[in-house]
Amino acid sequence: MKHSSSSIFRIMDQYSESAMPFFFIINFLADEAEVFSEKELTNSGIEVDFPNYKTNKNPAESGIENIEWKAYPCTKEAYEKGFNMVQKHLRRGDSYLVNYTAKTLVETNLSLKNIFDKAEAKYKMLYPNKFVFFSPETFVEIKDNVISTCPMKGTIDADIPDAEQKLKNDTKEKAEHYTVVDLLRNDLSMVADEVRLKHFQRIDYLKTTNKNLYAMSSDIEGIIKPKYRKNIGSLLEKLLPAGSILGAPKPKTLEIILEAEDYERGYYTGICGYFDGKDLDTCVMIRFIENHDGKLYFKSGGGITHMSDLDSEYEEMKNKIYVPIY
């Protein structure tokens, strides 16, 4: 059931206080959300595939042997218009990092259901006739009152010689990653004590349909403050929007994004998650394909700093338009 932001977090608090399992989705602006008991989720037709929670353990065969996939990204000139707006604010010191994204029309013989069933990703969700995503990125995870987050920021073409070291040592990518790590460490400190950086600049391999990528992640964790341990809604309300797909500082950077992007993100770059009655697992809704009036649109982007190069950022946005089906 859809709820406004004024009520969704209170409902989640009520469910978590009573140790009742639930699933939820929250959009980018955190002004629209849906929360489901397990029975409501079953009746909704929504399908979920998380590491420790699956609604369908036997996905159907797609029946499609030769995948057709064509993307029609915006022109570099159209992308540059928003990019220049972002750079103007960065030069003025309004922000240190802005996650700038775009919407791309895609044509494929795959249905949203096909993509959900066959895509390989840590987190997947299908909202029938609306959207599907296949995300590699955890937002926050809670286990035994330990909260952790794994910001993923910085990518490189895996076929470039010595790509891993180049990614780790690239000045722009390092600045982007350091900023997000610092932001999320501060965010966790609002809801947790003893926050620490557990693993810095981990490199993950992402196989895609057009080119393979290395992505850089870090692991941060802390002990949840007592006031949030049975109030999952209040905890998430404090942390949203997700810093890794927004930038820093949050309030001003959100204003910049709304000025620079020529479309509404909707649920793209929002979060979704499952609370099992004790622990929580959530993800950022990236690698996102949406059905709009019978056409499919892929939403993608990346972090922009004052050191960003237009051509590189435009290519990164395009490189992320893929489905991990092999």
Side-chain angles (χ1 to χ4, degrees):
M1 182 181 298
K2 285 188 178 180
H3 299 276
S4 66
S5 58
S6 60
S7 62
I8 183 64
F9 298 114
R10 305 292 77 77
I11 292 170
M12 294 168 69
D13 279 347
Q14 292 170 14
Y15 285 178
S16 55
E17 284 171 4
S18 60
M20 173 181 158
F22 63 90
F23 180 82
F24 65 91
I25 57 174
I26 302 173
N27 73 348
F28 169 59
L29 294 176
D31 60 3
E32 185 175 313
E34 297 189 52
V35 60
F36 306 86
S37 66
E38 290 188 309
K39 182 178 179 181
E40 289 170 338
L41 186 64
T42 300
N43 293 336
S44 73
I46 290 173
E47 296 190 50
V48 179
D49 189 334
F50 277 22
N52 297 309
Y53 180 70
K54 294 174 173 53
T55 56
N56 181 6
K57 298 179 176 61
N58 298 297
E61 293 295 325
S62 69
I64 297 175
E65 294 182 1
N66 299 311
I67 296 174
E68 298 172 8
W69 179 263
K70 190 166 181 61
Y72 301 90
C74 65
T75 64
K76 188 191 293 186
E77 290 73 22
Y79 179 87
E80 184 178 15
K81 183 178 179 181
F83 178 86
N84 287 342
M85 288 184 191
V86 169
Q87 286 291 355
K88 177 189 70 175
H89 286 285
L90 291 168
R91 288 192 297 269
R92 286 189 348 201
D94 296 334
S95 177
Y96 306 106
L97 170 68
V98 178
N99 198 81
Y100 174 52
T101 72
K103 183 171 76 170
T104 297
L105 174 68
V106 295
E107 293 179 352
T108 180
N109 57 345
L110 297 168
S111 66
L112 296 183
K113 170 66 172 170
N114 293 153
I115 294 169
F116 174 80
D117 285 341
K118 295 302 178 183
E120 297 182 13
K122 184 176 182 180
Y123 300 96
K124 298 190 295 182
M125 176 190 156
L126 170 69
Y127 199 126
N129 302 315
K130 292 188 177 181
F131 65 81
V132 66
F133 73 81
F134 37 93
S135 176
E137 184 172 356
T138 300
F139 175 50
V140 294
E141 187 175 2
I142 295 174
K143 288 184 178 179
D144 298 323
N145 290 326
V146 174
I147 184 169
S148 59
T149 186
C150 306
M152 179 181 290
K153 192 60 67 176
T155 58
I156 192 172
D157 185 339
D159 294 329
I160 293 174
D162 201 24
E164 290 189 58
Q165 286 305 312
K166 286 182 178 177
L167 176 58
K168 281 189 173 183
N169 296 318
D170 182 275
T171 303
K172 180 266 175 182
E173 299 288 1
K174 282 172 63 178
E176 182 181 343
H177 194 79
Y178 281 42
T179 299
V180 169
V181 167
D182 191 49
L183 169 64
L184 293 188
R185 186 164 48 188
N186 289 338
D187 278 0
L188 280 199
S189 295
M190 295 188 295
V191 300
D193 297 316
E194 301 177 37
V195 174
R196 69 187 184 100
L197 184 59
K198 185 178 180 182
H199 195 159
F200 187 57
Q201 286 188 297
R202 184 182 73 249
I203 304 297
D204 298 315
Y205 181 74
L206 302 178
K207 192 172 182 180
T208 83
T209 47
N210 54 0
K211 65 174 65 177
N212 300 322
L213 305 172
Y214 284 118
M216 188 157 53
S217 302
S218 290
D219 302 311
I220 309 165
E221 68 176 25
I223 309 299
I224 298 177
K225 296 178 186 289
K227 67 180 288 188
Y228 293 112
R229 290 182 183 175
K230 291 186 178 181
N231 292 283
I232 295 300
S234 295
L235 181 145
L236 293 174
E237 185 177 22
K238 198 77 173 173
L239 296 176
L240 289 175
S244 65
I245 45 69
L246 180 63
K250 279 186 174 182
K252 184 59 181 179
T253 303
L254 179 57
E255 292 180 19
I256 297 168
I257 286 172
L258 295 177
E259 176 188 358
E261 295 182 355
D262 62 358
Y263 76 103
E264 293 184 3
R265 291 192 185 184
Y267 278 100
Y268 168 58
T269 65
I271 69 163
C272 78
Y274 176 68
F275 177 72
D276 66 6
K278 179 173 179 276
D279 295 329
L280 175 74
D281 193 10
T282 68
C283 69
V284 182
M285 292 191 283
I286 56 174
R287 313 300 190 262
F288 188 102
I289 302 173
E290 185 172 25
N291 175 25
H292 183 71
D293 293 335
K295 294 183 178 180
L296 298 182
Y297 294 90
F298 197 112
K299 299 177 179 180
S300 63
I304 309 295
T305 72
H306 72 281
M307 293 179 285
S308 292
D309 169 74
L310 171 63
D311 291 341
S312 298
E313 297 300 339
Y314 181 62
E315 287 304 310
E316 179 176 343
M317 181 275 290
K318 294 193 295 181
N319 286 342
K320 291 176 178 175
I321 304 168
Y322 71 93
V323 286
I325 299 175
Y326 316 107

